[in-house]
Amino acid sequence: MNDSERAGDFRIEHDSMGEVRVPAHAKWRAQTQRAVENFPISGQCLERAHIEALARIKAAAAKVNARLGVIDQDRAEAIVSAAEEVAEGRWDAHFPVDVFQTGSGTSSNMNTNEVIATLATERLPEGREVHPNDHVNASQSSNDVFPSSIHIAATGAVAHDLVPALEHLAASLERKSAEFAKVVKSGRTHLMDATPVTLGQEFGGYAAQVRYGVERLRGALLRLAELPLGGTAVGTGINTPAGFSAAVIAEVARTTGLPLTEARDHFEAQGARDGLVETSGQLRTIAVSLTKIANDLRWMASGPRTGLAEINLPDLQPGSSIMPGKVNPVIPEAVLMVAAQVTGNDTTVAVAGAAGNFELNVMLPVMAKNLLESVRLLANASRLLADRTVDGITANVERAREYAESSPSVVTPLNKYIGYEEAAKVAKKSLAERKTIREVVLESGYVERGDLTVEQLDEALDVLRMTHP
């Protein structure tokens, strides 16, 4: 390279602040190296999808810049070729900048510029160079590129990974809802006995929760897919040729297949990250739904002797290092931990989203890290829950029906015959004397007094009928 000299395992790179020693093998240059030395914080780097999104922007920008006469065609083709390799993941090891870095993501934007510039220069005849700022970053700023890359990565992850995973889980739950349509069991409110439901109705409710989560995500996608690209430093588009932003966004949309659009207001899009906050909130809602579902499955499968034992979960692995034969609900437990992590991630995204000052939010990298992690965790956990738990659930039909028939709440349909207060007396006597509701009603003379007939009593106490009054 023109401005570097090799010195053992290092080479000397130059930037506007002076000289920096960079590992000889590295495709990055001076600004990336400064960031590596300045931010040795977490050891966590950008998500793979985020690196890909940055590279997609650089490739699209190079094509449009060449078309608009900003850079020459040879350099543009070299940049596009290099950026495509980065997008494919061939150079991920050369993106070492920590997530906890400069709040605009400038360090990672320059990391991308430098790696692509190095790779592109290697494709040109000797003596010609691709510059990270002048060529790879032409018509751009970290302030519009980096947030755009987050939106692109998140839109792709939601549309291509999470939504299909949630639909997969919903379909699994719906199959169980149909399978368990006539498995009657005791309903429960406040964790106490309530009127009967079917196991199928419960699983149908779980499926609806997941389907509604998909609806919420699709609604948020409309705003998540809006890009601030073209606003450059503060939203005005300084140093950007006319037509650049629309053309670049159209090119990225073409190569990714995503419904990306230009921001309707570049000052909102530059200074605020509300689209990310909204999406993270929908992810939190999905995490809450999965928490409810996973906990219900654990409760219903509790036992096998001293719990509810209404359903059986697949046995996946030994559950104890000391108690032989013990098996635990490991997948629902993992899902609960994912949900807890997503809830925590959402808090970080919300706090970070509130850190926008005037024309820029300065907590972008941590928003990206948490949002993309939440999408990835929820997608993986949803598929596991479907494939390794829900698909293999079986019902303990007789035990579930026994609970339904022994619940004092089945007295409820008798209200219309003997009144609420008399029905309450029947329920209390049933509990105290450990008798069925039917036995107490017959012993108490309601039939003899003409309050109801035996046929009406049998019909009223048909627990399956109670689930579809």
Side-chain angles (χ1 to χ4, degrees):
M1 300 174 61
N2 291 343
D3 62 348
S4 66
E5 57 187 20
R6 304 214 170 260
D9 293 333
F10 294 88
R11 68 179 192 269
I12 304 301
E13 289 283 351
H14 303 263
D15 64 9
S16 61
M17 294 182 69
E19 295 184 345
V20 182
R21 287 208 323 166
V22 176
H25 75 280
K27 298 299 182 183
W28 68 81
R29 302 185 187 181
Q31 290 199 43
T32 301
Q33 188 62 34
R34 291 187 192 280
V36 169
E37 295 169 5
N38 285 335
F39 308 115
I41 297 175
S42 70
Q44 300 176 70
C45 302
L46 296 190
E47 295 261 346
R48 162 94 279 278
H50 196 173
I51 297 172
E52 178 182 350
L54 283 164
R56 296 290 181 200
I57 291 173
K58 300 302 176 181
K63 290 180 181 179
V64 175
N65 276 324
R67 192 185 312 152
L68 297 176
V70 176
I71 61 175
D72 64 85
Q73 189 64 38
D74 288 348
R75 282 194 175 97
E77 290 175 359
I79 290 170
V80 170
S81 176
E84 287 175 349
E85 288 188 1
V86 171
E88 292 166 3
R90 291 177 56 179
W91 300 101
D92 285 1
H94 294 264
F95 285 79
V97 179
D98 202 278
V99 164
F100 297 92
Q101 55 170 282
T102 177
S104 61
T106 298
S107 296
S108 285
N109 182 46
M110 283 307 304
N111 187 179
T112 308
N113 290 333
E114 290 179 345
V115 170
I116 291 174
T118 299
L119 295 171
T121 298
E122 293 170 357
R123 289 160 166 77
L124 294 176
E126 189 170 352
R128 298 200 69 205
E129 183 180 7
V130 172
H131 193 278
N133 299 82
D134 296 340
H135 302 131
V136 184
N137 201 63
S139 309
Q140 305 154 63
S141 164
S142 298
N143 296 354
D144 65 340
V145 166
F146 195 79
S148 293
S149 68
I150 304 173
H151 283 253
I152 293 167
T155 299
V158 168
H160 295 158
D161 299 331
L162 182 53
V163 166
L166 291 173
E167 290 177 332
H168 181 71
L169 174 59
S172 175
L173 291 164
E174 286 162 352
R175 288 192 296 272
K176 287 299 170 181
S177 177
E179 180 182 338
F180 299 148
K182 294 186 178 180
V183 179
V184 66
K185 54 167 285 183
S186 176
R188 295 184 181 88
T189 58
H190 304 269
L191 288 180
M192 306 299 286
D193 297 345
T195 54
V197 296
T198 68
L199 193 57
Q201 288 170 329
E202 290 183 325
F203 274 76
Y206 304 150
Q209 280 187 278
V210 177
R211 293 285 185 197
Y212 296 160
V214 172
E215 288 182 12
R216 293 183 177 101
L217 282 174
R218 285 183 169 146
L221 274 176
L222 297 173
R223 289 164 291 281
L224 182 64
E226 285 191 27
L227 306 184
L229 202 61
T232 61
V234 293
T236 60
I238 190 170
N239 283 0
T240 300
F244 174 83
S245 56
V248 172
I249 291 168
E251 176 63 19
V252 177
R254 185 190 68 79
T255 58
T256 61
L258 297 173
L260 305 172
T261 59
E262 184 175 354
R264 289 167 287 176
D265 186 301
H266 275 277
F267 294 96
E268 183 278 337
Q270 200 99 343
R273 298 270 59 82
D274 293 349
L276 301 182
V277 174
E278 178 188 13
T279 302
S280 181
Q282 305 299 6
L283 300 179
R284 181 194 61 205
T285 302
I286 292 166
V288 169
S289 296
L290 293 182
T291 298
K292 200 274 186 189
I293 294 167
N295 273 329
D296 277 8
L297 295 180
R298 292 167 68 227
W299 275 107
M300 286 190 286
S302 61
R305 292 288 186 267
T306 60
L308 296 178
E310 293 176 332
I311 63 173
N312 305 301
L313 304 183
D315 291 349
L316 297 178
Q317 63 186 59
S320 173
S321 61
I322 189 173
M323 293 176 281
K326 193 173 191 298
V327 179
N328 298 327
V330 292
I331 298 297
E333 289 172 355
V335 170
L336 291 172
M337 288 188 280
V338 164
Q341 183 66 54
V342 170
T343 301
N345 286 353
D346 177 62
T347 298
T348 299
V349 171
V351 171
N357 306 119
F358 300 108
E359 279 67 62
L360 186 66
N361 180 289
V362 290
M363 295 181 70
L364 296 174
V366 77
M367 294 182 78
K369 180 260 184 190
N370 281 273
L371 184 65
L372 293 174
E373 179 183 72
S374 291
V375 172
R376 175 166 45 82
L377 292 176
L378 286 172
N380 291 342
S382 295
R383 287 192 179 277
L384 278 176
L385 184 60
D387 296 342
R388 300 191 67 80
T389 295
V390 175
D391 283 352
I393 290 175
T394 58
N396 291 326
V397 178
E398 293 181 3
R399 184 155 187 169
R401 188 177 188 93
E402 179 186 347
Y403 285 150
E405 292 178 342
S406 63
S407 168
S409 294
V410 300
V411 76
T412 301
L414 298 180
N415 289 355
K416 64 181 179 181
Y417 297 110
I418 63 177
Y420 180 91
E421 292 187 8
E422 287 297 314
K425 291 178 184 178
V426 170
K428 291 176 182 178
K429 186 175 182 181
S430 170
L431 283 173
E433 299 181 6
R434 300 183 68 83
K435 294 179 179 178
T436 67
I437 296 295
R438 189 177 192 281
E439 288 172 336
V440 172
V441 169
L442 292 175
E443 290 175 1
S444 300
Y446 295 107
V447 173
E448 286 79 0
R449 288 201 302 272
D451 294 323
L452 77 170
T453 66
V454 173
E455 290 76 16
Q456 288 173 324
L457 175 62
D458 290 340
E459 183 179 307
L461 297 182
D462 182 342
V463 288
L464 183 58
R465 185 186 180 92
M466 289 183 202
T467 66
H468 296 87

